[in-house]
Amino acid sequence: MKDVVTSDSHPSRTEDLRDFAILVESLPQIDFFWPMVGALEAPAHLKGLFELKTCLEFTSKHVQLDAHNADVARHMVRLASILTGGPEALAKRPIISCSQCPISPLSFEAGLVEGQVEEARAGIPVVAMSAAVAGLTSPVTLSGTLAQVNAEGLASLVITQIARKGAPWIYSSDSSAGNLKTGSIDYEALESVLLRTGSGQMGRFYGLPTMTAGISLEEVSTTLARVSEGVGHMMTQALVPSDLASGLGGIDNARGASFEQLLVDAWVWDI
């Protein structure tokens, strides 16, 4: 958590997640809550449930988060079912979805994929957010990384449909260019936008719902003389073929989040 005005920061806590939920509830520019921070003080085996409980308690909007294993996924489904009138009602009108990431290159972590199977069986939409980093965990070429991202997505789709035929599934990618000097991701690189665009086009090709756009200004917001100056930066992401987008409020290449950043991002997104 970072205050972009004072530069003060601290590890995120449940109350930070709560305050983000309250902010998101009040912002008409945002249609669903994608938690930007976690409840890091919570016991590891209960962290996901702490986060889901907090989200559902402080926002009425759809919540998208993740489950690190099958047991957590089952408890999440049970918790959400209480608010919808039971498991069947939840499957008909899911108030939550889960972002379950393939691990680049083309592998699946045991706990995450087991959670994905439980979610698919319950009718919870699964978002297969591939996070390949070109030149580091995928080929350095755009075409090579897109081919890998597509393979990871289709593998996830197969897993979901084996768990439950017709289960809702969303084609997604948070893939980016790699900074080969530092070994880190680089969301601000032009290649990152092209990777998002290519992924969105692949989802469209298959006729699937997509979540490939990442909309935020990141560090740009601190240098704006006026809000309208941020429109050009966000427009590159707004043009990505994508039904859903995340990233509002993110800073430092998605390593952190800020209340002030969320408000500026939402304001520019509105424009």
Side-chain angles (χ1 to χ4, degrees):
M1 280 295 302
K2 184 176 181 179
D3 184 320
V4 296
V5 178
T6 65
S7 294
D8 293 337
S9 63
H10 64 264
S12 63
R13 301 182 292 261
T14 299
E15 51 261 41
D16 297 316
L17 179 62
R18 174 202 64 201
D19 292 345
F20 268 123
I22 293 170
L23 268 178
V24 165
E25 178 70 13
S26 69
L27 292 172
Q29 300 92 335
I30 301 176
D31 298 305
F32 72 106
F33 184 34
W34 200 85
M36 307 82 167
V37 295
L40 300 186
E41 87 288 0
H45 66 292
L46 295 175
K47 177 176 175 291
L49 293 176
F50 269 58
E51 293 169 353
L52 178 58
K53 173 184 177 296
T54 302
C55 294
L56 294 177
E57 190 173 2
F58 290 97
T59 181
S60 61
K61 296 181 180 180
H62 181 93
V63 175
Q64 185 178 117
L65 63 180
D66 56 22
H68 295 295
N69 57 54
D71 192 45
V72 170
R74 283 191 291 268
H75 284 301
M76 285 183 170
V77 170
R78 194 171 302 139
L79 179 58
S81 295
I82 295 172
L83 301 179
T84 57
E88 291 185 6
L90 176 64
K92 290 180 180 179
R93 188 181 69 85
I95 60 172
I96 63 171
S97 54
C98 287
S99 175
Q100 302 295 98
C101 301
I103 307 299
S104 297
L106 193 55
S107 60
F108 292 86
E109 191 272 329
L112 290 175
V113 76
E114 289 161 3
Q116 175 178 338
V117 168
E118 293 297 327
E119 293 150 6
R121 288 173 176 169
I124 300 300
V126 170
V127 183
M129 185 175 282
S130 174
V133 184
L136 296 174
T137 64
S138 66
V140 73
T141 61
L142 295 178
S143 58
T145 292
L146 285 170
Q148 179 178 306
V149 167
N150 194 54
E152 292 171 355
L154 294 182
S156 173
L157 175 59
V158 169
I159 292 168
T160 298
Q161 298 309 306
I162 289 175
R164 177 177 174 174
K165 187 176 180 180
W169 185 89
I170 297 170
Y171 193 108
S172 181
S173 173
D174 190 36
S175 300
S176 64
N179 185 323
L180 302 185
K181 290 183 178 180
T182 63
S184 63
I185 59 177
D186 187 358
Y187 284 127
E188 296 181 18
L190 175 61
E191 291 85 353
S192 296
V193 180
L194 296 176
L195 287 170
R196 294 174 186 273
T197 302
S199 299
Q201 289 176 328
M202 289 307 301
R204 290 282 194 269
F205 173 78
Y206 293 115
L208 295 165
T210 57
M211 181 173 173
T212 59
I215 47 172
S216 72
L217 295 176
E218 291 268 341
E219 272 47 60
V220 173
S221 65
T222 61
T223 62
L224 300 179
R226 56 186 62 85
V227 171
S228 59
E229 288 183 3
V231 173
H233 296 278
M234 195 170 283
M235 185 65 72
T236 59
Q237 294 295 341
L239 295 175
V240 170
S242 185
D243 300 304
L244 303 170
S246 61
L248 295 178
I251 56 172
D252 297 331
N253 278 318
R255 288 190 293 268
S258 162
F259 298 131
E260 297 87 358
Q261 185 72 53
L262 175 63
L263 292 173
V264 173
D265 284 344
W267 195 357
V268 173
W269 177 246
D270 203 31
I271 296 174

